Amino acid sequence: MNGEGRTRGLFVFVIFFAIYTVQLFGQAAPPNARISNSKIDPTDLYEQATRALNNYCVSCHGPEKQKGDLRLDSLEAIDAVDRQELFRKAQEVIRFSEMPPQKAKQPSEVDRKILLQWLNSQLTGKAAEALAEKLRRFEYGNVTSHEDLFSGKYAEA
């Protein structure tokens, strides 16, 4: 009887462990993984993201109001480097549902994913590569390679 009780206890443990494992690892991919894997035409993505920004963000960060001294209706007017930093912050607050605030109209899960995917494309896609290339140009500052900077080549004698 004692061995039978242990077997039954082990069986129950295995069942609960299996259920827990399926719940833990069988969940859908996290939002970022789902977003990066989906393929949307960049033009469509931009239009959908702009629509979502206008629906959920511009009422507090637009021409009439600029909460936090932030205006999202004219992103092209922001310096490219500052815009990248803004996109990083926006991605974070949208991902963690900090924005829009709870009392405001909330985006659907689809709109939130669209915004995150568009922000990700701006931070890692062709726009980010173009910015990095632009900033490497001589006319945008003092450009020195990492090797030259730390080689002692520029050390004063």
Side-chain angles (χ1 to χ4, degrees):
M1 189 86 170
N2 195 0
E4 191 176 294
R6 281 190 208 146
T7 304
R8 185 176 301 144
L10 182 61
F11 178 75
V12 170
F13 172 77
V14 169
I15 294 295
F16 281 121
F17 181 77
I19 291 170
Y20 175 76
T21 304
V22 167
Q23 288 178 346
L24 182 65
F25 296 108
Q27 292 178 352
N32 290 343
R34 288 193 304 259
I35 289 166
S36 63
N37 291 336
S38 61
K39 301 292 180 195
I40 295 179
D41 177 62
T43 304
D44 290 340
L45 181 62
Y46 173 77
E47 290 172 2
Q48 292 177 26
T50 302
R51 191 172 325 124
L53 278 172
N54 289 332
N55 287 339
Y56 303 105
C57 307
V58 172
S59 62
C60 293
H61 303 287
E64 283 107 39
K65 266 197 270 188
Q66 293 91 36
K67 288 192 174 182
D69 293 327
L70 177 61
R71 191 167 174 180
L72 297 174
D73 65 317
S74 56
L75 292 172
E76 301 80 27
I78 300 172
D79 173 71
V81 175
D82 294 339
R83 189 170 47 234
Q84 291 294 96
E85 184 60 30
L86 170 66
F87 289 160
R88 272 190 216 80
K89 289 179 182 176
Q91 190 177 42
E92 183 177 316
V93 298
I94 291 169
R95 180 180 298 124
F96 295 117
S97 300
E98 294 173 3
M99 286 289 158
Q102 293 302 318
K103 63 182 179 177
K105 181 171 79 169
Q106 294 296 308
S108 67
E109 188 64 27
V110 170
D111 285 338
R112 197 174 292 277
K113 288 177 189 177
I114 292 289
L115 280 170
L116 288 171
Q117 183 175 354
W118 178 73
L119 288 167
N120 187 51
S121 75
Q122 297 303 300
L123 290 168
T124 61
K126 290 181 182 178
E129 291 172 18
L131 176 62
E133 178 61 34
K134 179 179 177 180
L135 292 176
R136 281 192 286 271
R137 293 186 200 148
F138 180 76
E139 62 267 23
Y140 287 100
N142 296 326
V143 179
T144 303
S145 75
H146 191 272
E147 290 173 3
D148 288 346
L149 184 62
F150 292 102
S151 68
K153 187 177 190 178
Y154 298 107
E156 292 187 36

